[in-house]
Amino acid sequence: MSLRRLCLILGGVLAVVAAASLLVGDVPIIDLFKRDPALAHMLIVELRLPRLVLAAAAGGALGLCGAALQGLLRNPLASPDILGTSAGAALGAVVAAYFLGLSGTLAMAGGGIAGALIALVLLLALAGRGASSATLILAGVAISALGGAMMNLALALAPSPFAFYDIMFWLLGSFADRNLGHLSVGLPAMLAGSLLVLSAARGLDALALGEDVAATLGHDVRAMHWRIVGGSAIAVGGAVAVAGIIGFVGLIVPHLVRPLVRNRPGPALLPSAIAGAALLVAADIVTRFPLNGKTLPIGVVTALLGAPFFLWLILSRRGVPS
């Protein structure tokens, strides 16, 4: 399948789920338009449209960064949440909010980006660029555990006694009650980081043949590493700051897309972004239907989808029939 055709198909899927996202919810939009068009317009523009755009941008950023990190490290198990990027971003946002007193969305986004960047740099330092799957996963688990422990410590020592309860639902991931203010902060960071990652797409195919080959073909390997690492930190940090920790999107989506582009890491980037956006928008729709009267966090929905896939992936790599 050609790259253009694949992107068109995935774009069509995204358009369908995006339309459903605007229409589906507690209040039937069509009925509301008949009764009060002004209120229906306000509901769409100020609540559902920002929620839709944030979900699509976050899903696109996570899918894109997962595909780029897998190509950069030449490891199919790499993803922002497994490698500790999401945990680092969450820690940075918590420190900015509860210790530096910068509780605005912009400050939390800055803290999230800084935390994600530190986590990725630490990962590269611990595991190395050509690390095996076992080394990479161990390093990522260690960074995630350290980030989680430090985040819990920060919440326990926070000046506000309600800090833990205030932040817990956010850490589980949610797009509920997001508005234009969140959109104005989170969207630029996710777009800037994603564009920086996309700028390294051509070099990823050459990098798959080895760093020496990529350098011989005229690619600046060091600059490519930092574009992907820095771009992933900015995009994931912005996503975590406005939506919380959302796992498995960066792991699942590249594995679904890569066989459709003949396992080439460069061409997999853009389709992974579109597929990630469609997946997270669809998951956000699921969260709007309460279970036992309670709304599921979107991080729980993606984990329920991703954990079995991750287990299958591990078993298949061990040669055990899935």
Side-chain angles (χ1 to χ4, degrees):
M1 182 183 300
S2 68
L3 179 61
R4 181 179 180 181
R5 183 180 179 186
L6 176 61
C7 289
L8 287 175
I9 293 173
L10 292 175
V13 174
L14 175 58
V16 171
V17 294
S21 177
L22 292 176
L23 297 175
V24 173
D26 295 336
V27 180
I29 287 295
I30 297 178
D31 294 340
L32 187 59
F33 262 114
K34 295 177 181 178
R35 299 197 307 267
D36 192 339
L39 180 60
H41 181 268
M42 183 180 68
L43 177 64
I44 290 178
V45 173
E46 296 187 10
L47 292 178
R48 291 195 180 174
L49 186 58
R51 180 171 181 168
L52 164 63
V53 175
L54 279 176
L62 293 172
L64 172 67
C65 293
L69 289 171
Q70 289 175 14
L72 174 68
L73 298 170
R74 298 188 288 282
N75 194 305
L77 298 179
S79 70
D81 49 309
I82 293 176
L83 298 184
T85 313
S86 297
L91 175 62
V94 168
V95 170
Y98 289 102
F99 282 87
L100 302 181
L102 306 173
S103 57
T105 306
L106 182 60
M108 292 182 68
I113 291 169
L117 181 60
I118 292 171
L120 273 175
V121 171
L122 182 59
L123 175 79
L124 290 179
L126 285 176
R129 292 191 292 268
S132 65
S133 297
T135 302
L136 189 69
I137 293 301
L138 286 174
V141 168
I143 293 172
S144 295
L146 178 63
M150 293 182 66
M151 183 169 53
N152 290 332
L153 177 63
L155 289 172
L157 299 177
S160 171
F162 302 104
F164 184 84
Y165 301 100
D166 291 341
I167 209 74
M168 184 52 63
F169 189 76
W170 171 76
L171 291 176
L172 294 175
S174 176
F175 292 104
D177 301 323
R178 298 303 185 264
N179 53 40
L180 293 173
H182 294 90
L183 183 63
S184 64
V185 172
L187 185 61
M190 288 184 277
L191 286 178
S194 297
L195 290 174
L196 193 58
V197 171
L198 282 171
S199 69
R202 292 184 62 185
L204 280 178
D205 281 349
L207 189 62
L209 303 175
E211 294 189 3
D212 293 337
V213 174
T216 302
L217 293 175
H219 297 286
D220 189 337
V221 177
R222 183 177 295 272
M224 189 192 313
H225 276 84
W226 283 109
R227 284 203 301 271
I228 293 176
V229 169
S232 296
I234 294 171
V236 174
V240 170
V242 297
I245 297 178
I246 300 172
F248 291 103
V249 175
L251 175 67
I252 297 174
V253 170
H255 281 278
L256 297 176
V257 168
R258 198 178 296 113
L260 302 177
V261 293
R262 293 176 291 182
N263 293 310
R264 296 174 58 195
L269 295 189
L270 184 57
S272 293
I274 302 173
L279 175 63
L280 205 54
V281 171
D284 182 51
I285 295 174
V286 174
T287 65
R288 301 180 191 184
F289 297 94
L291 186 64
N292 289 335
K294 296 183 179 180
T295 302
L296 285 177
I298 195 167
V300 174
V301 176
T302 57
L304 290 173
L305 292 173
F309 179 85
F310 187 43
L311 291 174
W312 170 83
L313 182 62
I314 293 174
L315 292 175
S316 65
R317 289 178 61 83
R318 291 177 54 194
V320 178
S322 57

Short mmCIF file of all heavy atoms in Angstrom, two decimals, residues 84-93 95-96 100 106-122 189 229-230 232-238 240-241:
data_model
loop_
_atom_site.label_atom_id
_atom_site.label_comp_id
_atom_site.label_asym_id
_atom_site.label_seq_id
_atom_site.Cartn_x
_atom_site.Cartn_y
_atom_site.Cartn_z
N GLY A 84 9.83 5.76 30.20
CA GLY A 84 9.88 6.69 31.32
C GLY A 84 9.63 8.14 30.94
O GLY A 84 9.65 9.01 31.82
N THR A 85 9.37 8.43 29.67
CA THR A 85 9.14 9.81 29.25
C THR A 85 7.89 10.39 29.90
O THR A 85 7.90 11.52 30.39
CB THR A 85 9.00 9.89 27.72
OG1 THR A 85 10.05 9.15 27.12
CG2 THR A 85 9.06 11.33 27.26
N SER A 86 6.81 9.63 29.92
CA SER A 86 5.56 10.11 30.51
C SER A 86 5.71 10.33 32.01
O SER A 86 5.20 11.32 32.56
CB SER A 86 4.43 9.12 30.22
OG SER A 86 4.20 9.02 28.83
N ALA A 87 6.40 9.40 32.68
CA ALA A 87 6.61 9.56 34.12
C ALA A 87 7.46 10.79 34.41
O ALA A 87 7.19 11.53 35.36
CB ALA A 87 7.28 8.31 34.68
N GLY A 88 8.48 11.03 33.59
CA GLY A 88 9.30 12.23 33.77
C GLY A 88 8.50 13.49 33.54
O GLY A 88 8.66 14.48 34.28
N ALA A 89 7.64 13.49 32.53
CA ALA A 89 6.81 14.66 32.26
C ALA A 89 5.84 14.91 33.42
O ALA A 89 5.64 16.07 33.83
CB ALA A 89 6.03 14.46 30.97
N ALA A 90 5.24 13.86 33.95
CA ALA A 90 4.32 14.02 35.07
C ALA A 90 5.04 14.56 36.30
O ALA A 90 4.53 15.43 37.01
CB ALA A 90 3.66 12.68 35.39
N LEU A 91 6.25 14.05 36.56
CA LEU A 91 7.03 14.54 37.70
C LEU A 91 7.35 16.02 37.53
O LEU A 91 7.23 16.81 38.47
CB LEU A 91 8.31 13.72 37.84
CG LEU A 91 9.30 14.21 38.92
CD1 LEU A 91 8.66 14.15 40.29
CD2 LEU A 91 10.57 13.37 38.87
N GLY A 92 7.77 16.41 36.31
CA GLY A 92 8.07 17.81 36.08
C GLY A 92 6.86 18.71 36.29
O GLY A 92 6.97 19.80 36.87
N ALA A 93 5.69 18.25 35.83
CA ALA A 93 4.47 19.05 36.00
C ALA A 93 4.09 19.17 37.48
O ALA A 93 3.67 20.24 37.94
CB ALA A 93 3.34 18.42 35.21
N VAL A 95 6.13 18.96 40.12
CA VAL A 95 7.10 19.83 40.80
C VAL A 95 6.80 21.30 40.49
O VAL A 95 6.84 22.16 41.38
CB VAL A 95 8.54 19.47 40.38
CG1 VAL A 95 9.53 20.52 40.87
CG2 VAL A 95 8.92 18.10 40.93
N ALA A 96 6.49 21.59 39.22
CA ALA A 96 6.19 22.97 38.84
C ALA A 96 4.94 23.48 39.57
O ALA A 96 4.89 24.63 40.01
CB ALA A 96 6.00 23.07 37.33
N LEU A 100 7.08 24.81 42.97
CA LEU A 100 7.44 26.13 42.46
C LEU A 100 6.27 27.09 42.49
O LEU A 100 6.43 28.27 42.20
CB LEU A 100 7.98 25.99 41.03
CG LEU A 100 9.20 25.08 40.86
CD1 LEU A 100 9.64 25.05 39.40
CD2 LEU A 100 10.35 25.52 41.77
N LEU A 106 0.36 26.72 31.49
CA LEU A 106 1.61 26.99 30.80
C LEU A 106 2.80 26.53 31.63
O LEU A 106 3.74 25.91 31.11
CB LEU A 106 1.73 28.48 30.49
CG LEU A 106 2.98 28.92 29.73
CD1 LEU A 106 3.03 28.23 28.38
CD2 LEU A 106 2.99 30.44 29.55
N ALA A 107 2.77 26.80 32.94
CA ALA A 107 3.86 26.38 33.81
C ALA A 107 3.95 24.86 33.90
O ALA A 107 5.04 24.29 33.90
CB ALA A 107 3.69 27.00 35.19
N MET A 108 2.80 24.21 33.99
CA MET A 108 2.79 22.75 34.06
C MET A 108 3.30 22.14 32.76
O MET A 108 4.00 21.13 32.77
CB MET A 108 1.38 22.24 34.37
CG MET A 108 0.92 22.59 35.78
SD MET A 108 -0.72 21.94 36.16
CE MET A 108 -0.40 20.20 36.21
N ALA A 109 2.97 22.78 31.63
CA ALA A 109 3.49 22.30 30.35
C ALA A 109 5.00 22.43 30.31
O ALA A 109 5.71 21.53 29.84
CB ALA A 109 2.85 23.06 29.20
N GLY A 110 5.52 23.57 30.80
CA GLY A 110 6.98 23.75 30.84
C GLY A 110 7.65 22.73 31.73
O GLY A 110 8.69 22.16 31.38
N GLY A 111 7.05 22.48 32.90
CA GLY A 111 7.60 21.46 33.78
C GLY A 111 7.53 20.07 33.17
O GLY A 111 8.46 19.27 33.31
N GLY A 112 6.43 19.79 32.46
CA GLY A 112 6.31 18.48 31.81
C GLY A 112 7.34 18.28 30.72
O GLY A 112 7.94 17.20 30.59
N ILE A 113 7.59 19.31 29.92
CA ILE A 113 8.59 19.21 28.86
C ILE A 113 9.98 19.00 29.45
O ILE A 113 10.75 18.15 28.97
CB ILE A 113 8.55 20.47 27.99
CG1 ILE A 113 7.25 20.51 27.18
CG2 ILE A 113 9.76 20.54 27.05
CD1 ILE A 113 7.00 21.83 26.48
N ALA A 114 10.31 19.75 30.50
CA ALA A 114 11.62 19.60 31.13
C ALA A 114 11.79 18.20 31.72
O ALA A 114 12.84 17.57 31.57
CB ALA A 114 11.79 20.66 32.23
N GLY A 115 10.76 17.69 32.38
CA GLY A 115 10.84 16.36 32.97
C GLY A 115 10.97 15.28 31.92
O GLY A 115 11.74 14.33 32.09
N ALA A 116 10.23 15.41 30.81
CA ALA A 116 10.32 14.42 29.73
C ALA A 116 11.70 14.43 29.09
O ALA A 116 12.27 13.37 28.78
CB ALA A 116 9.25 14.70 28.68
N LEU A 117 12.28 15.60 28.91
CA LEU A 117 13.61 15.70 28.30
C LEU A 117 14.66 15.06 29.20
O LEU A 117 15.53 14.32 28.73
CB LEU A 117 13.95 17.17 28.04
CG LEU A 117 15.30 17.43 27.38
CD1 LEU A 117 15.38 16.75 26.02
CD2 LEU A 117 15.53 18.93 27.23
N ILE A 118 14.58 15.33 30.49
CA ILE A 118 15.53 14.74 31.43
C ILE A 118 15.42 13.22 31.42
O ILE A 118 16.43 12.50 31.43
CB ILE A 118 15.30 15.30 32.85
CG1 ILE A 118 15.69 16.78 32.89
CG2 ILE A 118 16.11 14.52 33.88
CD1 ILE A 118 15.31 17.47 34.18
N ALA A 119 14.19 12.71 31.38
CA ALA A 119 13.99 11.26 31.38
C ALA A 119 14.57 10.62 30.12
O ALA A 119 15.22 9.56 30.20
CB ALA A 119 12.49 10.94 31.49
N LEU A 120 14.38 11.23 28.96
CA LEU A 120 14.91 10.66 27.72
C LEU A 120 16.43 10.72 27.67
O LEU A 120 17.08 9.77 27.22
CB LEU A 120 14.32 11.40 26.52
CG LEU A 120 12.97 10.89 26.00
CD1 LEU A 120 12.45 11.77 24.89
CD2 LEU A 120 13.08 9.45 25.53
N VAL A 121 17.01 11.83 28.11
CA VAL A 121 18.47 11.93 28.13
C VAL A 121 19.05 10.91 29.09
O VAL A 121 20.07 10.25 28.79
CB VAL A 121 18.90 13.36 28.53
CG1 VAL A 121 20.41 13.43 28.77
CG2 VAL A 121 18.50 14.35 27.43
N LEU A 122 18.41 10.72 30.23
CA LEU A 122 18.88 9.72 31.20
C LEU A 122 18.77 8.32 30.61
O LEU A 122 19.66 7.48 30.82
CB LEU A 122 18.05 9.83 32.48
CG LEU A 122 18.43 8.89 33.64
CD1 LEU A 122 19.87 9.12 34.05
CD2 LEU A 122 17.50 9.11 34.83
N ALA A 189 2.81 23.20 21.92
CA ALA A 189 3.91 22.33 22.33
C ALA A 189 3.88 21.00 21.58
O ALA A 189 4.92 20.52 21.10
CB ALA A 189 3.84 22.07 23.84
N VAL A 229 14.85 13.16 20.20
CA VAL A 229 14.76 13.21 21.67
C VAL A 229 14.11 14.51 22.13
O VAL A 229 13.19 14.52 22.95
CB VAL A 229 16.16 13.04 22.30
CG1 VAL A 229 16.12 13.35 23.79
CG2 VAL A 229 16.69 11.64 22.07
N GLY A 230 14.59 15.63 21.59
CA GLY A 230 14.02 16.91 21.99
C GLY A 230 12.58 17.07 21.55
O GLY A 230 11.73 17.55 22.32
N SER A 232 10.40 14.68 20.97
CA SER A 232 9.56 13.78 21.77
C SER A 232 9.32 14.37 23.15
O SER A 232 8.21 14.27 23.69
CB SER A 232 10.23 12.41 21.89
OG SER A 232 10.33 11.79 20.62
N ALA A 233 10.35 14.97 23.73
CA ALA A 233 10.19 15.57 25.06
C ALA A 233 9.18 16.71 25.02
O ALA A 233 8.31 16.82 25.90
CB ALA A 233 11.54 16.08 25.56
N ILE A 234 9.27 17.57 24.00
CA ILE A 234 8.34 18.71 23.91
C ILE A 234 6.92 18.22 23.66
O ILE A 234 5.97 18.66 24.32
CB ILE A 234 8.79 19.66 22.78
CG1 ILE A 234 10.14 20.29 23.13
CG2 ILE A 234 7.74 20.74 22.54
CD1 ILE A 234 10.76 21.07 21.99
N ALA A 235 6.75 17.29 22.72
CA ALA A 235 5.40 16.82 22.38
C ALA A 235 4.77 16.04 23.52
O ALA A 235 3.61 16.28 23.90
CB ALA A 235 5.46 15.95 21.12
N VAL A 236 5.52 15.08 24.10
CA VAL A 236 4.97 14.27 25.19
C VAL A 236 4.77 15.13 26.44
O VAL A 236 3.77 14.97 27.15
CB VAL A 236 5.89 13.08 25.49
CG1 VAL A 236 5.41 12.32 26.71
CG2 VAL A 236 5.95 12.15 24.28
N GLY A 237 5.70 16.04 26.71
CA GLY A 237 5.53 16.92 27.86
C GLY A 237 4.28 17.77 27.74
O GLY A 237 3.54 17.94 28.72
N GLY A 238 4.03 18.31 26.55
CA GLY A 238 2.81 19.09 26.35
C GLY A 238 1.55 18.25 26.49
O GLY A 238 0.55 18.69 27.07
N VAL A 240 1.19 15.39 28.27
CA VAL A 240 1.00 15.00 29.67
C VAL A 240 0.52 16.18 30.51
O VAL A 240 -0.32 16.02 31.41
CB VAL A 240 2.32 14.42 30.24
CG1 VAL A 240 2.22 14.23 31.76
CG2 VAL A 240 2.63 13.09 29.57
N ALA A 241 1.02 17.37 30.22
CA ALA A 241 0.65 18.54 31.01
C ALA A 241 -0.84 18.85 30.92
O ALA A 241 -1.44 19.31 31.90
CB ALA A 241 1.47 19.75 30.56
#
